[in-house]
Amino acid sequence: ATPLVGRALRPAVLRLAGVSAVLYGLYVGCIVGGPLILRRFLELIVEEQACDAHAGNGTLPTEYGLSCDERWFGYVLAVILLVTRIIGSFCLSHSEMLMTRAALRARSVLMTGLFRKCLRLSGVHESSTGQIQTLMAIDAEVVLMVAPVVNMLWSAPV
C-alpha cells in the first residue's frame, strides 16, 4: 500500500495549524475591537464636553449612565486599547511563527516522500538528476511560501 501525502502531513501539521488559526482569530478580534473602543472613547469625550458645559449641577444623564465625576473611565479605555494592541501583536507574530513551523514540517514531509518515490522509480525508469532536484527543491518550497497567507484566506471576509 502506497502511503498518501495527506496521511503523512496530518500529524506533522494539523496541531500547529489549528493553534495558529486560533491565535489569528484572536488577532482579528483585537483588530475589530480597536475601533469599537475608540468609538466609545470619542463618545466619552463628547460627554465630557457636555459635562463642562453643564458644570453647575455635577451630573448629566448620559447614554451609558456615567456622571461627570467619572472621568477616569477614559484612562481605562486607553489602557484597554493598549492591551488589545499588545495582545493582537503577540497573537499575530506567534500565529505566523507557528504557520512557518507547520510549513517547514510539511516541506520536509513532502521532500522525504519525493525522495523515497524517486528512489523507488530510479530503477524502473530513468529520471534526470535535474528533474528530481526540481521536484525536491522548488515544488516543495511552494508550500513554505504559501503558509503565512493561509490564515488570511479564511479571515478575508472579516
Side-chain angles (χ1 to χ4, degrees):
T2 305
L4 299 174
V5 175
R7 221 181 272 165
L9 283 176
R10 192 175 303 125
V13 174
L14 191 61
R15 182 170 171 250
L16 286 175
V19 173
S20 174
V22 168
L23 287 173
Y24 198 80
L26 288 172
Y27 163 72
V28 169
C30 288
I31 293 300
V32 169
L36 298 175
I37 295 169
L38 282 176
R39 184 183 71 190
R40 179 61 188 114
F41 194 73
L42 292 174
E43 290 171 355
L44 185 67
I45 290 173
V46 170
E47 290 172 7
E48 288 294 324
Q49 290 174 348
C51 282
D52 289 341
H54 298 91
N57 60 5
T59 60
L60 180 70
T62 62
E63 183 179 340
Y64 294 96
L66 295 176
S67 68
C68 292
D69 297 330
E70 297 177 351
R71 295 180 180 199
W72 55 270
F73 192 63
Y75 294 111
V76 171
L77 288 175
V79 168
I80 290 172
L81 185 63
L82 174 69
V83 168
T84 57
R85 292 297 177 179
I86 290 171
I87 290 173
S89 220
F90 173 80
C91 289
L92 177 64
S93 65
H94 277 70
S95 172
E96 288 178 354
M97 183 218 25
L98 290 174
M99 280 307 289
T100 303
R101 281 179 58 194
L104 286 170
R105 286 183 181 182
R107 186 183 75 170
S108 67
V109 166
L110 289 174
M111 287 179 76
T112 303
L114 285 171
F115 184 71
R116 287 182 183 165
K117 180 87 170 190
C118 289
L119 285 177
R120 214 174 22 241
L121 292 177
S122 66
V124 175
H125 117 164
E126 292 186 26
S127 301
S128 70
T129 308
Q131 289 173 336
I132 295 171
Q133 190 175 16
T134 300
L135 278 174
M136 288 178 57
I138 296 172
D139 294 347
E141 190 72 25
V142 171
V143 174
L144 187 62
M145 293 186 316
V146 169
V149 187
V150 170
N151 280 331
M152 291 180 198
L153 292 175
W154 65 263
S155 69
V158 176

